[in-house]
Amino acid sequence: MATLIPSRNTCLSRMTSGERRFASRLDDKLDDEYLCWYDVPIGPRYRHPDFVVLHPSRGFLVLEVKDWKPDTLAELDRDRAIINTDRGRVTQANPLRQARDYAMEIVRLLQDDPALCHPPGNRRAGKLLMPWGFGVVLPNITRNQFDQMELEHFLPPGSVICRDEMTEGVDTEGFQTRLWDMFLMPFPCLLSLPQIERVRWHLFPQLRIQVQGDLLQTPVPANTAPVEIPDIIRVMDLQQELLARSLGDGHRVIHGVAGSGKTMILGYRCVELARRQHKPVLVLCYNKTLASHLDHLMQGHGVQDRVAVHNFHEWCREQLKTYGLPMPPFQKSADMYAQMLVQSVIDGVESNAIPRAQYGAVLIDEGHDFDPEWLRLVAQMVDPETNSLLLLYDDAQSLYGNAARRKFSFASVGIQAQGRTTILRLNYRNTLEVLAVAKAFAEEVLMRHDADDDHVPVVVPESAGRRGPMPELWRARNIWAEADIIAARIQDAITNGANPNDFAVLCHSNRLAALIATQLQKRGLTVLLASDDQRRAMFNGPASVKVMTMHSSKGLEFDTVFIPGICELTTPDDDVDRKQQQVRVLYVGMTRALRQLEMSHHGEGATVERVRSVVEGVSRRLAA
């Protein structure tokens, strides 16, 4: 069965009857090596062919589907078709010319990449290393009618599939032969998985991933100079692309492990919704740093005027300010003030002073850190006509709540998630070594099998298999010595060609982050401390080593991560909830590392002992 993107069920409503039947044939008659995209924009010009079909040993094919009937096609020439409709005669492009133009655009995009062309010395040097072709599907005209109408003058018979050649009972081999007869110059090829990913990188710029950061790249306008093609490309994998493109309307929940690309899918979905929603789109998360990152992404895509990105409490303050309601009185306790702020907004909505249904869509990242009453409040902000809500969730990364916070069902807060939850288990971010250490350390949290009323358990991450160096645990005399060693290692790497943006130092507190940042700066490093007034500069400022708390690092990723002072994480007097919370904090910090993870300490304690045992155990197991 071919992979159709988006999934057929989610795009049936916008398909013509002929497109639906043809999509069924692709599904039924092609094997699972075939990738088929329906009405997906290609290239920087966002052109929309009906179908693009790709096979590793065949190449690619562009197909246009026309639901014409014999009595509706009035005229046809090489450039245009005149169609009889209820509104009178309508002029359309000749579908074969249209398919050819789309195919040529794909060829131009791919041929700019030397990795997708025959090498120097080959008789086809510089040309695509895969065949290509184009054709037309006429689901309401039989081959006999095609001949009688003498359409072969402007639609070559070998480039057309007719109604009687795409029935449910049609021979599988015959159907495939019809497709591959459309190739202009077939020749043997075998595309590797990296080559297929390069094809997708060129065709679908919206799927490209930043070299650093679990988010999509900003698009390159069509009228700018050609984008530089990296040696190593990163693009959404097929599962992520299929999910991102197939998310239907209504309430949806993505329950995914750290590094599974949840935030990346949210970014893609947000941009797509912004382009078709009349009301504004709201994006909420708990983390201020992640909110700034998402806001920067929306600006890059040019949809910032249609998308509001806030951390939850910032959004609450804006609601009170916008609708002229008083702010809560000053409180010595920040937690108490935050509670009163949220309650003021809830009261405002209940009294109709703050309107419901303000947004065409609401997307929530870090849903595991939202209290039930927050989710109940936000769910009311979705316009019932669109009813578009997306919640991203991973209970293993819940840093701010307690057990009581997580004991609720989505249905109880107005989120209709039953039957609309997708679970992502595969971790693409971390190497096998980093993930193995993080999983073993957080085993107590990850192995809880209790599920809520929506049957959503804690999900254990699975590795995508990428390898790298073993995480390290080392000791220094004191915290200042830890900072010195971290600075020396970063400085040495930068001297050997590394980018300062590749490094992050993640701390258990703001106090420690400020101390580390100061020590690194004294040793000549360019450092950005992720304080409230510097968060935006993290994503568009000069290259710098990032220093922040582990809490602030959620949703982000870096090539190399240092976590100092882990001996200070817990004390013997901490209760069970506090200890489990610190496990989650360190788990989040560990899983920010794309390749290299280094943890350090200047004293002993339960956390140090546990990390040491885990690192040694994983090292022995992987070496065996």
Side-chain angles (χ1 to χ4, degrees):
M1 179 180 291
T3 300
L4 183 64
I5 306 171
S7 62
R8 192 154 54 96
N9 290 338
T10 62
C11 53
L12 287 176
S13 61
R14 56 190 176 92
M15 286 179 163
T16 66
S17 61
E19 289 171 341
R20 285 195 290 271
R21 279 187 283 131
F22 185 65
S24 294
R25 297 296 83 77
L26 294 176
D27 227 3
D28 299 340
K29 306 301 180 182
L30 303 185
D31 62 51
D32 56 9
E33 286 193 288
Y34 288 82
L35 301 176
C36 307
W37 288 271
Y38 167 72
D39 192 32
V40 170
I42 60 169
R45 298 170 63 188
Y46 279 73
R47 304 290 295 276
H48 275 262
D50 288 340
F51 288 91
V52 176
V53 180
L54 178 68
H55 188 277
S57 61
R58 298 282 189 175
F60 77 84
L61 194 62
V62 176
L63 298 165
E64 284 296 300
V65 181
K66 293 298 178 185
D67 279 30
W68 298 338
K69 297 178 180 177
D71 58 344
T72 60
L73 180 57
E75 296 180 30
L76 179 68
D77 61 30
R78 294 187 183 278
D79 297 315
R80 64 193 181 112
I82 298 179
I83 311 300
N84 294 318
T85 71
D86 295 338
R87 307 185 309 277
R89 290 195 167 190
V90 174
T91 300
Q92 299 179 353
N94 179 313
L96 190 68
R97 176 70 176 270
Q98 201 173 2
R100 178 185 179 277
D101 289 347
Y102 291 144
M104 289 299 295
E105 182 150 353
I106 292 175
V107 170
R108 285 192 293 271
L109 287 170
L110 302 185
Q111 215 162 240
D112 284 338
D113 188 344
L116 295 177
C117 296
H118 290 282
N122 187 288
R123 65 185 182 86
R124 294 178 54 82
K127 296 188 179 298
L128 275 186
L129 49 67
M130 72 195 81
W132 57 277
F134 51 90
V136 175
V137 180
L138 300 175
N140 295 317
I141 295 177
T142 66
R143 180 61 65 173
N144 187 46
Q145 291 169 330
F146 178 90
D147 294 338
Q148 291 176 355
M149 297 166 68
E150 299 183 343
L151 298 181
E152 71 272 10
H153 297 298
F154 307 110
L155 295 175
S159 298
V160 178
I161 294 178
C162 293
R163 176 177 179 175
D164 46 333
E165 296 158 350
M166 52 170 282
T167 61
E168 189 172 356
V170 71
D171 176 66
T172 297
E173 185 175 347
F175 179 77
Q176 292 191 25
T177 299
R178 281 285 178 188
L179 285 178
W180 304 121
D181 281 350
M182 296 179 179
F183 279 88
L184 302 180
M185 296 180 62
F187 56 84
C189 80
L190 184 59
L191 297 176
S192 65
L193 180 57
Q195 287 171 327
I196 291 173
E197 289 188 344
R198 295 188 85 87
V199 170
R200 293 170 59 238
W201 189 90
H202 289 285
L203 294 191
F204 313 123
Q206 64 272 34
L207 302 182
R208 296 173 187 172
I209 304 173
Q210 293 176 350
V211 174
Q212 175 184 303
D214 194 18
L215 294 173
L216 304 179
Q217 284 184 350
T218 54
V220 178
N223 57 355
T224 61
V227 64
E228 182 179 348
I229 302 169
D231 293 331
I232 299 175
I233 56 96
R234 293 187 65 207
V235 66
M236 276 190 188
D237 86 327
L238 281 172
Q239 182 196 20
Q240 293 168 330
E241 180 188 358
L242 182 60
L243 174 58
R245 294 195 191 277
S246 302
L247 282 172
D249 293 327
H251 293 191
R252 305 280 167 175
V253 172
I254 297 177
H255 191 73
V257 300
S260 59
K262 299 185 299 299
T263 300
M264 180 174 62
I265 292 169
L266 178 143
Y268 172 88
R269 177 68 170 168
C270 187
V271 172
E272 292 300 305
L273 285 171
R275 291 192 174 117
R276 59 184 176 91
Q277 294 282 11
H278 299 297
K279 282 189 173 182
V281 174
L282 175 65
V283 179
L284 291 176
C285 56
Y286 189 96
N287 187 311
K288 294 178 182 178
T289 306
L290 181 57
S292 295
H293 204 171
L294 287 166
D295 186 47
H296 179 68
L297 178 71
M298 296 304 110
Q299 291 181 39
H301 282 271
V303 296
Q304 67 274 16
D305 58 332
R306 286 163 281 169
V307 180
V309 183
H310 299 287
N311 70 73
F312 178 72
H313 292 98
E314 178 187 33
W315 175 76
C316 288
R317 281 189 291 271
E318 185 180 82
Q319 288 291 300
L320 295 178
K321 182 178 178 181
T322 299
Y323 295 101
L325 299 178
M327 296 288 176
F330 172 79
Q331 302 290 321
K332 291 183 179 180
S333 167
D335 289 343
M336 179 61 70
Y337 182 84
Q339 291 175 22
M340 294 177 66
L341 183 70
V342 176
Q343 190 59 50
S344 295
V345 178
I346 293 173
D347 293 343
V349 171
E350 291 179 351
S351 67
N352 295 320
I354 296 176
R356 298 172 172 84
Q358 296 180 37
Y359 302 96
V362 173
L363 301 92
I364 305 168
D365 204 352
E366 306 177 312
H368 41 265
D369 286 327
F370 277 50
D371 283 334
E373 57 267 27
W374 301 4
L375 293 174
R376 186 179 296 108
L377 169 64
V378 173
Q380 298 177 67
M381 295 294 119
V382 182
D383 187 337
E385 290 189 12
T386 57
N387 198 32
S388 183
L389 184 146
L390 175 62
L391 175 68
L392 307 183
Y393 204 88
D394 178 14
D395 196 59
Q397 295 189 73
S398 180
L399 299 186
Y400 302 97
N402 50 36
R405 170 180 285 181
R406 296 187 294 274
K407 293 293 185 181
F408 71 94
S409 69
F410 292 134
S412 70
V413 296
I415 297 176
Q416 304 305 315
Q418 197 160 11
R420 296 194 180 106
T421 295
T422 301
I423 296 180
L424 301 179
R425 300 181 183 275
L426 204 58
N427 174 299
Y428 297 94
R429 175 189 299 141
N430 310 124
T431 62
L432 174 63
E433 289 77 5
V434 169
L435 184 60
V437 167
K439 280 175 60 176
F441 175 78
E443 183 178 20
E444 180 182 336
V445 172
L446 293 174
M447 293 304 176
R448 291 193 304 108
H449 292 291
D450 53 313
D452 59 25
D453 292 344
D454 298 298
H455 311 291
V456 182
V458 173
V459 181
V460 180
E462 299 172 8
S463 173
R466 188 166 58 87
R467 300 302 297 265
M470 269 298 299
E472 293 183 40
L473 175 66
W474 46 266
R475 178 168 183 162
R477 297 188 314 276
N478 52 44
I479 193 63
W480 292 274
E482 288 185 53
D484 286 342
I485 295 172
I486 291 171
R489 294 192 177 191
I490 294 175
Q491 195 67 264
D492 185 58
I494 292 173
T495 301
N496 288 308
N499 189 311
N501 285 331
D502 293 337
F503 302 94
V505 184
L506 308 182
C507 305
H508 59 73
S509 67
N510 286 310
R511 176 194 59 79
L512 180 57
L515 183 153
I516 294 290
T518 300
Q519 294 301 112
L520 298 188
Q521 287 168 337
K522 286 179 179 179
R523 282 147 187 81
L525 290 171
T526 303
V527 176
L528 190 145
L529 176 62
S531 56
D532 286 349
D533 58 346
Q534 296 247 28
R535 292 182 197 277
R536 191 171 301 279
M538 285 184 66
F539 313 113
N540 55 12
S544 58
V545 178
K546 308 301 188 289
V547 181
M548 67 189 78
T549 65
M550 284 181 275
H551 290 77
S552 292
S553 71
K554 289 180 65 179
L556 307 179
E557 59 186 34
F558 304 89
D559 176 85
T560 301
V561 167
F562 295 90
I563 305 179
I566 65 169
C567 52
E568 301 175 0
L569 272 171
T570 57
T571 70
D573 296 330
D574 289 336
D575 59 25
V576 173
D577 282 347
R578 163 77 176 170
K579 289 177 180 176
Q580 287 195 349
Q581 198 69 352
Q582 292 303 319
V583 168
R584 287 191 176 88
V585 169
L586 192 48
Y587 172 76
V588 167
M590 290 178 180
T591 54
R592 300 310 97 192
L594 288 165
R595 185 185 61 87
Q596 177 69 60
L597 170 63
E598 297 194 26
M599 295 168 282
S600 60
H601 62 107
H602 53 273
E604 295 300 319
T607 300
V608 174
E609 184 178 340
R610 183 171 180 171
V611 170
R612 181 184 294 117
S613 174
V614 163
V615 171
E616 291 174 353
V618 169
S619 181
R620 285 194 300 269
R621 187 168 73 249
L622 294 180

